[in-house]
Amino acid sequence: MTRYTAEIPYGAYWSTPFARWQGSFASLHSVRFAAHVAKRELAKRDIDPQVIDYGVLGFSVPQQHAFYGLPWLTGLVGATRAGGPTMMQACATGVRTLLAAAQEIEAGMAEVALAVNCDRTSNGPHLYYPNPRGAGGTGTSENWVLDNFGCDPLGGHSMLQTAENVATKHGVGTSQQHELVLLREAQYADALKDDSAFLRRFMTLPFEVPNADFRKVASTLDGDEGVSRSTAEGLAKLKPVANGGTVTFGAQTHPADGNAAILVTTPERAKALSKDPSIAVRLHGFGLARTELAYMPDAMIPAARRALDQAGLAIGDMTAIKTHNPFAVNDIVFARETGANLDAMNNYGCSLVWGHPQAPMGTRAIIELIEELALRGGGYGLFTGCAAGDTAMAVVVEVGDR
């Protein structure tokens, strides 16, 4: 069985609530916001930022001065010893940055790494590409978020079309998708019980939303903003978004904003930085896969198999499973193809429900996976999720005794 020597200190991770598109985080620079949150969360855990000697920043929507990337963020946090790259792999960025942090520790190039991911799909940049040889010197432009959500330049199709292609391939209808939506929303409701006790395991609530210059508190959030409360009757009234299709607006996620982060370190330092030194969070396997053009949801299946193969484990060995499910069809097909229990996946929430801010989505899902395993007394867990370009990444973690 594969085991990486790098570990995640139990409790040394966090996530903001996720806020709906054009909602409470819409005016916040995503990199500065992530630094603002990281500084507070490290202080809350009595972790000196100066122990961090490597960092990796992930995002998929650029912000002003993002050229300076990770060193800018760690400088704002006070982790002035830490340098590192900035990465972009769409929805798979959370797993990619975790792997990069683990590899740096494995290589002996760092002792404490910060993998931080942030995105603001709201108010995305509008980019202009000069072309002096164009007609009248005119260049071209793009709306970074909407244009790329709506068109894969390799095939000219939208992300929605990839879901429809997979639904047709596997014979998944609208009613099946709607049934799953109701189940996933019920699972998320469990995270809200007892004054959001599950969310409070890794999220500071109520969450103070800063103003745009990060000097004052503009408002507070009691949890995720923009989560739907669906009913069977309401979903039944929805028509598929595409003519002749199966996917309705109720059976897909919504764009959102937020950030999340995880510390990765050596086993010795993990014990010292953990909020419970008796708990070990180990990394066992990673997987990357790409499927055929315009079948994005299918990619999470081979990615999961590769992570499981590297870990020397099977789907039946998993105590808990989390997925990135921008479309309900993702989970239905994944369960059919792998034998995973559809009803037992994604306890306490998933991106289908709490939203889709791209890079931090996978990080939050991995954090929730760790906490579910801790509540269950330990075991192995799998996270897998698709990403733009018909790709996917997956990771296998273990929560156990030290």
Side-chain angles (χ1 to χ4, degrees), residues 52 71 77 157 169 186 236 252 273 278 286 322 363 380 383 398:
I52 300 169
V77 170
H157 54 273
K169 174 182 174 180
Q252 57 184 293
L273 295 173
S278 68
F286 288 87
K322 283 278 195 179
T363 309
Y380 295 103
F383 167 73
E398 177 196 8

Side-chain angles (χ1 to χ4, degrees), residues 12 43 48 103 139 183 190 273 338 364 402:
D48 182 354
Q103 288 172 327
L183 172 61
D190 289 337
L273 295 173
T338 65
R364 174 170 171 176
R402 185 171 298 284

Side-chain angles (χ1 to χ4, degrees), residues 76-112:
L76 291 171
V77 170
T80 55
R81 297 173 58 223
T86 299
M87 295 184 168
M88 181 186 297
Q89 199 176 337
C91 318
T93 305
V95 180
R96 174 57 64 188
T97 55
L98 179 61
L99 175 57
Q103 288 172 327
E104 200 81 1
I105 303 298
E106 295 273 332
M109 295 176 65
E111 290 190 351
V112 181

Side-chain angles (χ1 to χ4, degrees), residues 2-7 99 102 106 282-286 310:
T2 300
R3 178 188 291 179
Y4 288 72
T5 57
E7 292 188 5
L99 175 57
E106 295 273 332
R282 303 182 178 99
L283 300 168
H284 281 277
F286 288 87
Q310 189 180 86

Side-chain angles (χ1 to χ4, degrees), residues 91 95 180 184 187 253 297 300-301 304 315 320-335 338 340-342 344-347 349-355 361-366 368-369 372 381-386 393-395:
C91 318
V95 180
L180 184 69
R184 296 292 181 251
Q187 291 168 308
T253 189
M300 58 196 290
I301 299 164
I315 198 76
I321 297 173
K322 283 278 195 179
T323 64
H324 168 43
N325 42 15
F327 304 99
V329 69
N330 285 54
D331 280 2
I332 296 169
V333 171
F334 178 81
T338 65
N341 185 336
L342 183 64
M345 294 160 46
N346 287 314
N347 292 310
C350 55
S351 56
L352 179 65
V353 179
W354 34 247
M361 170 278 308
T363 309
R364 174 170 171 176
I366 294 166
E368 292 196 0
L369 179 63
E372 180 180 352
L382 168 72
F383 167 73
T384 185
C386 62
M393 286 200 74
V395 61

Side-chain angles (χ1 to χ4, degrees), residues 106-185:
E106 295 273 332
M109 295 176 65
E111 290 190 351
V112 181
L114 173 66
V116 57
N117 295 276
C118 61
D119 261 321
R120 190 187 77 191
T121 61
S122 299
N123 300 323
H126 293 235
L127 303 183
Y128 179 77
Y129 303 96
N131 181 12
R133 296 183 179 181
T138 304
T140 58
S141 64
E142 70 173 334
N143 180 323
W144 183 277
V145 174
L146 296 183
D147 287 354
N148 287 296
F149 276 9
C151 179
D152 180 338
L154 192 60
H157 54 273
S158 68
M159 292 187 184
L160 173 64
Q161 187 59 54
T162 72
E164 290 292 3
N165 290 346
V166 170
T168 298
K169 174 182 174 180
H170 296 276
V172 179
T174 302
S175 61
Q176 293 169 288
Q177 296 173 44
H178 285 171
E179 288 174 8
L180 184 69
V181 169
L182 294 174
L183 172 61
R184 296 292 181 251
E185 289 185 13

